[in-house]
Amino acid sequence: MVLEEVKLENLEKGHILAFGECYKKMIHPSSFEILTPLKEISESLRKKLILICLTASLEETENFEDLKKCLADEIWFILNPELKDFKDDLWARVLAEIVKNSRPYGFFFPATIIGTSLAPRLAGILKLGLCAHVNSLELKDNQIIMARPTYGENVIAKLISKSVPVMATISLGTFPINYKNKEPLIKKVIFPETFSWESKLKIKRFFPTKKKITKLSAAKVIVAGGRGLKNKENFQKLFELAKLLNAEVGATRPVCYEGWAEEERMIGVSGVTVRPKVYIGFGISGALQHTVGMENSEFIIAVNTDKEAPLVKIANVAFITDASILLDILIEKLKTMK
Amino acid sequence: MNKIIVCIKGVPIPGTIKVDSETHTLKRESLELILNPNDRVAIEMAIRLKEIYDFKVIVISMGPPNVIPILKHAYALGCDEMILLSDKIFAGSDTLATSLVLAKAIQTLSPYSLILTGLKSIDGETAQVPPEIGALLEIPSITNVKKLFKQNGFWIIIRENEYGEEELELSEPFVASINSHTFDYLRPPSLKRLLEVKKIEPVIFTANELGLSPEQVGLKGSPTQVINIFEKKIEAKGTIMEGSPQELAEKLIRILKTKDLI
Ligand SMILES: Cc1cc2nc3c(=O)[nH]c(=O)nc-3n(C[C@H](O)[C@H](O)[C@H](O)COP(=O)(O)OP(=O)(O)OC[C@H]3O[C@@H](n4cnc5c(N)ncnc54)[C@H](O)[C@@H]3O)c2cc1C
């Protein structure tokens, strides 16, 4: 594919940039998610939305077709063999050059592990403010206002950044992926000969994950458990129930930290956002940090001994009882029905 | 002797922060701070490396004086020196301002081999400080590290991301944030060191001593600002069902049927 080439120093200035995570032959879907709120913001500000992708070569990207449908107005590729592996220092220097030369109004990253390693390194180099795990973006008098749950149980903080570009990482799964008909303009950014592609990191080996990635964010039915299940053994019952209902298992942060469930199963600000048809929470109090990740579920069922628990209040139906006893009976009954 | 610097944070006890509904400010129910649990893992990593390679471990924290017991706890676990960065004007620092204070202090300790941190703090959960420190000190930063050892004069590191695990090679110095599930066992404090630390105090640095002006730190030095903080009120909207677990299970199954799950 022949791309329009543009020299680093000639990049268009003043737009909104989004980081497109191209790694291991895939464009991470979260990069498309963050374009959804940014599209609205950039249109209101009459600025272009530009996806920035760093990779070794274009040929290998498996979901390249998705790029052609994405919401960005333009995609800028920075291509170099040295970008095959994620090297924090080099990638941040490349992005710093992009920022210095294109003087964007905002630069946003998906809160993936790479995104949350790269964005603060870039912010440090350029001495910029950076908001973390934002789950809502709005414009007020042309200023970008970001929100995220914080501290206590049900507290939301609204944040601004006084430095330009405004920078933030955006929570995974928070926004749906939307596509458009018009293909974005794809350009290749040419760096000057003098730019050094060296890194202090040498990636020697890569061991791909053997674990199958949980498909929580796409699940139609989720059975989730919290501290009210009391122990790992009780939590395990959720997997049995999940099998019977064709569901995925989700969890709260404390139980992930306890090791009852893998961290990929965490629902909430620090984990994933889900939107199933049915969500059942067993022994989950419903702290805001958790509920921001599931409140858009179509139908919410809570099982809790405490009538006053916040999840009981937001639920469509709440069952006031011991979660693990109910689980036992439920599994028993469902098995005999099959 | 080569040094490892461990950055730790005192965090409020979970659940003790509420919002004052009238002033929209945070109310702390308790002033007590605890060691950020994720930093405990970084301390363990530092002490294990000290045992293998004979490092001196310096533990450093920015915070109010009530962080001192936490620094002393780190000493009792096996750290050798304690540094507290404390000044009224540090209050309200965002991650960039915090990283600047830490980086300034770390510079005075140069040369050092490694800077270790927890993956993130449980109060802010940003995970931003380690890469920011790395950028400010112009040394590499690696996040979510599970393993660290020396080989032929280089450090070999295993880090984890969504794609799998990567093995990296690099030379010191660098910053590494440690994966929170790295160890099955975390040592208890030593009795001998608990007694020792009663008689010693951390070294304290103020902004002035670090050469930092009020414009660089605290609220003034923080590009990000909280403009509003509020509590989300929830009102009950659904049906509440009570009864014996047997009855409730029946009712739940009926609901699941209407949703075509069974
Ligand atoms: C910066 C930050 C980020 C965070 N991010 C996340 C996140 O992404 N995801 C997340 O989930 N949390 C997150 N948290 C933690 C969050 O604030 C809550 O502490 C957490 O969600 C509570 O988990 P829980 O409901 O399992 O436990 P608890 O709050 O302890 O609730 C247990 C519930 O079980 C009920 N219960 C007790 N016994 C029984 C029984 N026998 N049967 C039935 N019910 C019973 C109790 O009434 C209670 O409602 C975050 C916190 C902070 C500070």
Side-chain angles (χ1 to χ4, degrees), chain B residues 9-259:
Chain B
K9 184 178 183 188
V11 297
I13 300 170
T16 60
I17 296 193
K18 298 267 144 70
V19 172
D20 187 322
S21 51
E22 266 147 43
T23 58
H24 291 275
T25 50
L26 293 175
K27 274 193 303 199
R28 292 194 170 202
E29 285 175 352
S30 153
L31 287 179
E32 196 189 332
L33 297 175
I34 55 167
L35 172 65
N36 173 39
N38 295 328
D39 298 347
R40 177 66 190 82
V41 187
I43 293 174
E44 186 68 31
M45 180 64 93
I47 298 169
R48 290 191 188 195
L49 293 173
K50 165 182 163 172
E51 286 167 349
I52 304 171
Y53 304 110
D54 202 22
F55 281 108
K56 177 154 103 187
V57 179
I58 303 173
V59 63
I60 183 166
S61 184
M62 179 184 108
N66 41 350
V67 172
I68 292 175
I70 297 169
L71 287 167
K72 291 194 169 192
H73 178 64
Y75 182 96
L77 292 170
C79 298
D80 302 295
E81 279 179 27
M82 305 170 281
I83 298 177
L84 176 66
L85 313 173
S86 198
D87 200 310
K88 284 210 176 70
I89 67 168
F90 291 161
S93 293
D94 70 358
T95 63
L96 186 70
T98 303
S99 303
L100 180 68
V101 174
L102 287 165
K104 278 278 182 190
I106 290 168
Q107 258 167 359
T108 68
L109 302 171
S110 183
Y112 49 85
S113 299
L114 308 179
I115 303 168
L116 302 184
T117 71
L119 183 66
K120 53 189 173 188
S121 67
I122 62 159
D123 55 348
E125 285 246 350
T126 74
Q128 285 172 190
V129 167
E132 286 181 345
I133 295 177
L136 294 172
L137 292 168
E138 299 182 14
I139 58 175
S141 50
I142 298 107
T143 62
N144 213 7
V145 170
K146 297 180 88 172
K147 218 172 179 180
L148 271 164
F149 57 93
K150 272 186 175 181
Q151 201 174 67
N152 307 326
F154 289 103
W155 283 92
I156 307 292
I157 285 185
I158 311 274
R159 72 162 169 205
E160 193 180 51
N161 57 31
E162 282 98 347
Y163 306 87
E165 288 185 355
E166 283 175 333
E167 185 182 301
L168 298 128
E169 180 187 273
L170 75 166
S171 18
E172 49 188 49
F174 58 85
V175 188
S177 72
I178 309 297
N179 175 289
S180 303
H181 304 288
T182 304
F183 303 113
D184 292 332
Y185 173 77
L186 300 171
R187 75 196 59 212
S190 108
L191 203 55
K192 177 170 156 280
R193 298 186 71 93
L194 275 172
L195 292 174
E196 255 172 44
V197 77
K198 284 196 172 157
K199 288 179 244 118
I200 42 179
E201 291 298 320
V203 182
I204 300 180
F205 288 103
T206 60
N208 207 356
E209 285 162 328
L210 293 171
L212 288 162
S213 70
E215 283 66 42
Q216 291 174 285
V217 297
L219 281 176
K220 278 191 199 159
S222 298
T224 64
Q225 308 227 299
V226 175
I227 54 167
N228 191 4
I229 199 154
F230 53 92
E231 194 142 13
K232 204 169 164 180
K233 289 265 180 294
I234 24 178
E235 281 151 42
K237 61 168 190 184
T239 327
I240 290 188
M241 304 221 181
E242 287 172 279
S244 76
Q246 284 288 347
E247 286 164 24
L248 293 179
E250 292 290 347
K251 285 184 181 160
L252 181 48
I253 287 175
R254 245 171 279 148
I255 293 175
L256 296 179
K257 272 185 185 156
T258 64
K259 300 280 161 201

Side-chain angles (χ1 to χ4, degrees), chain A residues 167-317:
Chain A
M167 280 183 70
T169 57
I170 299 179
S171 273
L172 302 183
T174 306
F175 297 96
I177 297 175
N178 291 338
Y179 292 112
K180 67 172 173 17
N181 292 326
K182 196 164 164 261
E183 222 177 275
L185 199 61
I186 304 185
K187 296 178 178 171
K188 179 179 165 184
V189 183
I190 307 295
F191 271 57
E193 291 288 318
T194 49
F195 184 81
S196 158
W197 295 92
E198 250 168 59
S199 163
K200 291 199 175 125
L201 315 186
K202 201 153 104 193
I203 314 288
K204 304 195 62 171
R205 278 194 287 179
F206 172 65
F207 313 92
T209 14
K210 285 188 204 80
K211 295 182 280 191
K212 71 164 178 24
I213 297 168
T214 54
K215 306 213 174 56
L216 260 191
S217 48
K220 292 269 174 284
V221 185
I222 290 177
V223 292
R227 219 148 37 178
L229 283 173
K230 303 283 190 266
N231 56 45
K232 188 170 181 171
E233 205 184 330
N234 287 337
F235 191 92
Q236 287 298 324
K237 297 174 190 164
L238 286 178
F239 289 93
E240 212 171 324
L241 179 65
K243 236 191 224 159
L244 292 161
L245 297 177
N246 221 337
E248 279 287 346
V249 175
T252 63
R253 187 175 78 160
V255 313
C256 292
Y257 282 12
E258 283 295 325
W260 301 357
E262 309 95 303
E263 245 167 84
E264 294 89 66
R265 299 196 181 274
M266 192 192 302
I267 296 173
V269 244
S270 320
V272 290
T273 302
V274 298
R275 248 182 241 96
K277 282 196 174 349
V278 179
Y279 164 103
I280 317 178
F282 292 89
I284 292 178
S285 61
L288 187 67
Q289 285 96 358
H290 182 78
T291 56
V292 291
M294 47 65 68
E295 63 194 356
N296 292 327
S297 306
E298 271 176 44
F299 197 82
I300 298 169
I301 301 171
V303 182
N304 202 307
T305 43
D306 177 10
K307 249 195 241 182
E308 298 299 318
L311 191 69
V312 167
K313 294 191 176 163
I314 67 166
N316 300 84
V317 186

Side-chain angles (χ1 to χ4, degrees), chain A residues 4-36:
Chain A
E4 182 184 331
E5 296 191 350
V6 49
K7 281 192 178 156
L8 181 66
E9 57 273 25
N10 296 338
L11 287 174
E12 266 187 60
K13 306 197 179 7
H15 296 298
I16 303 270
L17 308 185
F19 179 68
E21 182 169 319
C22 278
Y23 205 50
K24 304 290 169 202
K25 303 186 181 169
M26 281 288 286
I27 296 151
H28 199 285
S30 59
S31 303
F32 298 130
E33 288 169 15
I34 71 171
L35 294 178
T36 301

